Amino acid sequence: MKWIVTVSLALLSGFSSAGMDFSEDLLQGIKGVGLEVAPMSIRSNRLDLDQSRLREYAYHRLDELQVEVLSSSELDKIPGRPFLEVGVHIARAQGPSHVYSVTLKLREMAMLERPKDTKVSMALSTWERESIGVANRPEAILQTVDRMIRLFSEEYHKTNVKE
């Protein structure tokens, strides 16, 4: 049974990288982003990947792709406090194989208006992509993170072309 799940996920992994439909205008005017790594869910002790390694990797890739990563104090000065959230979930499948999912979200603070002057502020996703796959080593998962960060960078730079 585990073999069938592993093969099915391997076949689907190429198709799952497509994201939700978001307007490119949602990236317009963003001068930089914060970076957060969501708590990782790892149901295996065979892969050497943790939050700090993932954060460092994502930070360096964003820097290389010329997407400015802002500190918390810099974000406080920017409307919406845009930040990228990287999420990784890993579960051991069979043998050395692991099923994983990677999510990359641009989240921004938004004010929800309610009746009777009640307002609620919360972080909402304005750009999001997810990918699933099968990996035997952490580098394969980092390659997926890299692919998603490159996709964000391409859309970010296309929308924010310097004139």
Side-chain angles (χ1 to χ4, degrees), residues 134-146:
V134 177
N136 293 336
R137 52 195 202 345
E139 291 77 20
I141 298 168
L142 293 176
Q143 286 175 351
T144 300
V145 171
D146 178 67

Side-chain angles (χ1 to χ4, degrees), residues 20-163:
M20 299 162 83
D21 291 327
F22 290 100
S23 169
E24 289 180 359
D25 294 343
L26 291 172
L27 297 176
Q28 191 167 7
I30 294 176
K31 305 296 182 205
V33 296
L35 178 62
E36 290 189 19
V37 175
M40 295 174 64
S41 171
I42 302 177
R43 293 187 208 123
S44 173
N45 58 358
R46 295 191 177 196
L47 284 181
D48 183 27
L49 185 62
D50 60 20
Q51 273 185 281
S52 62
R53 181 176 176 195
L54 184 58
R55 179 173 174 43
E56 183 178 318
Y57 183 83
Y59 179 85
H60 287 298
R61 288 303 295 141
L62 288 165
D63 187 50
E64 289 172 358
L65 294 167
Q66 299 176 348
V67 175
E68 187 174 359
V69 179
L70 305 171
S71 68
S72 181
S73 61
E74 291 171 316
L75 278 176
D76 286 339
K77 300 172 188 169
I78 296 177
R81 297 183 42 93
F83 65 94
L84 278 178
E85 180 182 84
V86 181
V88 173
H89 301 281
I90 303 169
R92 187 159 173 235
Q94 185 175 11
S97 297
H98 292 76
V99 176
Y100 69 89
S101 71
V102 174
T103 306
L104 185 65
K105 298 177 184 180
L106 177 66
R107 296 174 58 92
E108 297 182 73
M109 296 304 293
M111 187 69 67
L112 305 177
E113 294 186 20
R114 302 283 191 234
K116 298 183 183 177
D117 299 324
T118 302
K119 294 184 180 182
V120 177
S121 179
M122 62 186 298
L124 300 173
S125 294
T126 55
W127 184 96
E128 180 176 345
R129 301 292 184 271
E130 183 173 16
S131 183
I132 60 172
V134 177
N136 293 336
R137 52 195 202 345
E139 291 77 20
I141 298 168
L142 293 176
Q143 286 175 351
T144 300
V145 171
D146 178 67
R147 184 173 65 246
M148 295 173 77
I149 289 174
R150 277 188 284 120
L151 179 61
F152 173 78
S153 172
E154 289 168 6
E155 292 181 28
Y156 170 83
H157 287 299
K158 184 170 86 174
T159 304
N160 294 292
V161 175
K162 294 180 182 175
E163 299 177 16

